[in-house]
């Protein structure tokens, strides 16, 4: 079944949120998975995804300059074809700085057990891509890469690092000054111990303040108690803080649930969304940059769904927390949405944002915000 690629635009009227029609980003006959989205300072929407044809996987890019009404012809990003490694949470990432577009992905061109994180750059709206550069500096296997770029032109990079037997080793962090493309040697976050390690198939999420403060959230594994934690590194520091709980759910999970957290920062506030396997529900929590969080709220209680919600994505915009997630109550997977007013602790405007009437599977929602608009992209099997 072809996985069609759709994009939703949400626009705000006062404190209510209305939705535009679903827009098909890449109208071709290929299977499109694991999308990402970024909106630059000019309002241009940038999207990337994994295009699958048989056993072949490649990274493709498209952009829109009219708010998502029309998208450019898609262009391939990776110069060495058919070596992309991608899973849920481990797809490509796209960000911009100035006139340049940066995309990262995991690539096995040196052999699957030597999968590394690669980066490519375009300076002409994605029509041409300069060359693939390996930016992970560890031997063996790396996956779940994520990037953010701060206002000083520093690209921040994280990824999961595995040993020769694909056993999880640690989370690595590195940074690059984009004016010189100088990549610094990676450091470990210091969150892997004899008693705890990040859940090795659950993607982390990173957000960076305009000043360069780095926040990384991940699902931890302490004797199969797999709660979510967060660490911080200030812009003028070289080490990360000790891990702090986002929410103490104490849910025992004897397997890797393949679902990580989502975080966003605005001013002194952090908004987080995550799935807890004990109830198979998605939760969200508002916190502060001191890494303390309010009690989590359950989207299931407000949306009246009786089954699993998963794969949340969150953004903070003008003090309002927005969350999208996959809801499986229809038998397929719908993309649901709601927003939190932290002053009233009200969860509002709850609705399904995919506009098909069947029970096709919709997966991997990613939200971003720009100028009061909320954008969401996902993979869609309709």
């Amino acid at each position: 079944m072809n996985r069609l690629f759709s994009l939703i635009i949400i626009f705000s009227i006062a404190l209510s949120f209305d939705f535009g029609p679903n827009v098909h980003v890449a109208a071709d006959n290929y299977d499109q998975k694991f999308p990402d989205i970024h909106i630059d300072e000019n309002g241009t929407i940038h999207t990337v995804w994994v295009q699958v044809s048989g056993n072949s996987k490649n990274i493709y890019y498209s952009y829109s300059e009219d708010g998502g009404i029309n998208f450019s012809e898609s262009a391939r990003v990776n110069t060495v074809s058919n070596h992309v490694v991608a899973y849920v949470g481990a797809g490509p990432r796209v960000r911009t700085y100035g006139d340049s577009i940066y995309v990262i992905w995991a690539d096995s061109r040196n052999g699957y057990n030597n999968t590394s994180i690669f980066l490519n750059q375009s300076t002409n709206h994605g029509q041409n891509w300069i060359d693939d550069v390996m930016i992970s500096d560890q031997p063996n296997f790396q996956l779940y890469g994520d990037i953010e770029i701060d206002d000083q032109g520093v690209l921040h990079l994280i990824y999961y690092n595995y040993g020769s037997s694909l056993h999880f080793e640690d989370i690595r962090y590195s940074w690059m000054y984009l004016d010189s493309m100088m990549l610094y040697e990676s450091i470990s976050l210091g969150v892997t111990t004899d008693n705890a390690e990040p859940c090795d198939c659950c993607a982390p999420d990173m957000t960076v303040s305009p000043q360069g403060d780095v926040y990384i959230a991940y699902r931890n594994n302490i004797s199969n108690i797999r709660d979510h934690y967060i660490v911080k590194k200030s812009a003028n520091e070289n080490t990360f803080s000790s891990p702090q709980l986002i929410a103490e759910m104490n849910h025992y999970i004897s397997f890797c649930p393949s679902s990580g957290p989502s975080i966003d920062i605005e001013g002194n506030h952090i908004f987080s969304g995550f799935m807890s396997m004990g109830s198979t529900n998605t939760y969200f929590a508002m916190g502060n940059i001191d890494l303390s969080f309010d009690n989590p709220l359950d989207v299931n209680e407000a949306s009246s769904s009786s089954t699993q919600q998963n794969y949340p994505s969150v953004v903070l915009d003008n003090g309002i927390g927005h969350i999208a997630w996959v809801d499986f109550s229809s038998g397929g997977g719908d993309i649901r949405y709601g927003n939190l007013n932290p002053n009233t602790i009200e969860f509002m405007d709850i609705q399904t944002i995919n506009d098909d009437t069947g029970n096709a599977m919709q997966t991997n929602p990613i939200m971003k915000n720009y100028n009061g608009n909320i954008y969401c992209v996902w993979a869609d099997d309709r």
Side-chain angles (χ1 to χ4, degrees):
M1 178 181 294
N2 293 328
R3 176 159 293 171
L4 307 183
F5 196 83
S6 297
L7 186 145
I8 303 302
I9 298 172
I10 306 168
F11 57 94
S12 171
I13 303 175
L15 290 179
S16 65
F17 287 82
D18 299 326
F19 289 77
N22 293 189
V23 177
H24 198 182
V25 174
D28 55 37
N29 293 321
Y30 294 100
D31 192 11
Q32 300 145 9
K33 297 183 177 182
F34 316 128
D36 191 34
I37 182 174
H38 174 76
I39 299 93
D40 67 25
E41 59 186 6
N42 299 313
T44 300
I45 302 169
H46 305 265
T47 61
V48 290
W49 63 93
V50 177
Q51 179 174 289
V52 182
S53 178
N55 293 323
S56 300
K57 295 185 178 72
N58 291 294
I59 307 299
Y60 276 78
Y61 164 86
S62 181
Y63 71 93
S64 171
E65 294 182 315
D66 57 10
I69 299 172
N70 299 286
F71 279 84
S72 68
E73 183 177 349
S74 57
R76 201 181 82 191
V77 175
N78 52 307
T79 60
V80 179
S81 63
N82 302 331
H83 291 287
V84 170
V85 178
Y87 305 98
V88 173
R93 298 289 183 265
V94 58
R95 299 293 183 266
T96 64
Y97 186 75
D99 294 328
S100 293
I101 307 162
Y102 301 91
V103 176
I104 68 164
W105 69 95
D107 194 294
S108 65
R109 67 187 63 182
N110 297 316
Y112 183 78
N113 282 7
N114 291 298
T115 292
S116 302
I117 307 299
F118 278 74
L119 175 144
N120 208 342
Q121 175 187 4
S122 174
T123 58
N124 61 354
H125 294 284
Q127 297 178 45
N128 302 103
W129 294 86
I130 296 174
D131 197 11
D132 303 352
V133 177
M134 187 170 70
I135 57 173
S136 56
D137 62 6
Q138 299 299 295
N140 305 311
F141 191 93
Q142 292 89 50
L143 197 62
Y144 298 115
D146 195 11
I147 55 171
E148 296 293 347
I149 301 173
D150 65 31
D151 285 356
Q152 287 70 50
V154 178
L155 183 149
H156 303 265
L157 166 72
I158 61 169
Y159 53 87
Y160 278 10
N161 177 45
Y162 304 79
S164 58
S165 62
L166 303 185
H167 176 75
F168 182 85
E169 296 286 345
D170 56 6
I171 303 178
R172 308 295 296 188
Y173 164 81
S174 186
W175 66 101
M176 174 189 291
Y177 288 96
L178 293 176
D179 57 356
S180 63
M181 294 298 286
M182 180 177 179
L183 179 68
Y184 283 77
E185 182 179 356
S186 70
I187 62 173
S188 174
L189 265 62
V191 298
T192 305
T193 69
D194 291 339
N195 299 317
E197 70 173 33
C199 198
D200 58 6
C201 62
C202 299
D205 193 29
M206 174 173 61
T207 188
V208 176
S209 74
Q211 298 76 28
D213 299 329
V214 180
Y215 300 81
I216 300 170
Y218 63 98
R219 185 189 289 274
N220 210 3
N221 178 10
I222 304 175
S223 299
N224 285 327
I225 301 297
R226 301 181 190 246
D227 285 335
H228 296 84
Y229 286 74
I230 188 169
V231 295
K232 174 185 178 180
K233 185 188 79 66
S234 297
N236 58 351
E237 296 178 348
N238 295 319
T239 58
F240 283 85
S241 66
S242 60
Q244 302 296 315
L245 266 169
I246 294 175
E248 190 171 9
M249 311 300 289
N250 283 320
H251 287 152
Y252 179 91
I253 309 174
S254 61
F255 59 93
C256 196
S258 300
S259 176
S262 175
I263 56 171
D264 194 27
I265 185 173
E266 183 183 56
N268 293 324
H269 299 288
I270 301 176
F271 192 49
S272 175
F274 57 91
M275 185 274 287
S276 180
M277 200 70 184
S279 57
T280 64
N281 290 347
T282 285
Y283 294 79
F284 55 92
M286 192 69 73
N288 296 308
I289 57 174
D290 62 1
L291 307 188
S292 63
F293 286 83
D294 298 335
N295 291 330
L297 301 175
D298 184 353
V299 303
N300 188 56
E301 294 176 2
S303 62
S304 300
S305 171
S306 60
T307 188
Q308 181 180 359
Q309 303 91 36
N310 206 346
Y311 309 113
S313 179
V314 302
V315 297
L316 265 174
D317 187 63
N318 294 317
I320 302 297
H322 304 263
I323 180 168
W325 68 94
V326 181
D327 186 284
F328 296 93
S329 59
S330 68
D334 289 319
I335 308 299
R336 298 276 285 170
Y337 163 87
N339 59 70
L340 174 70
N341 185 327
N343 296 318
T344 61
I345 318 298
E346 288 183 278
F347 192 45
M348 304 179 297
D349 299 318
I350 302 154
Q351 56 197 282
T352 299
I353 62 177
N354 52 285
D355 59 14
D356 64 311
T357 57
N359 63 348
M361 177 67 76
Q362 283 90 17
T363 60
N364 304 128
I366 302 290
M367 285 201 305
K368 292 293 165 63
N369 62 305
Y370 173 77
N371 199 27
N373 294 334
I374 306 298
Y375 298 83
C376 184
V377 66
W378 66 85
D380 193 306
D381 270 352
R382 73 182 68 179

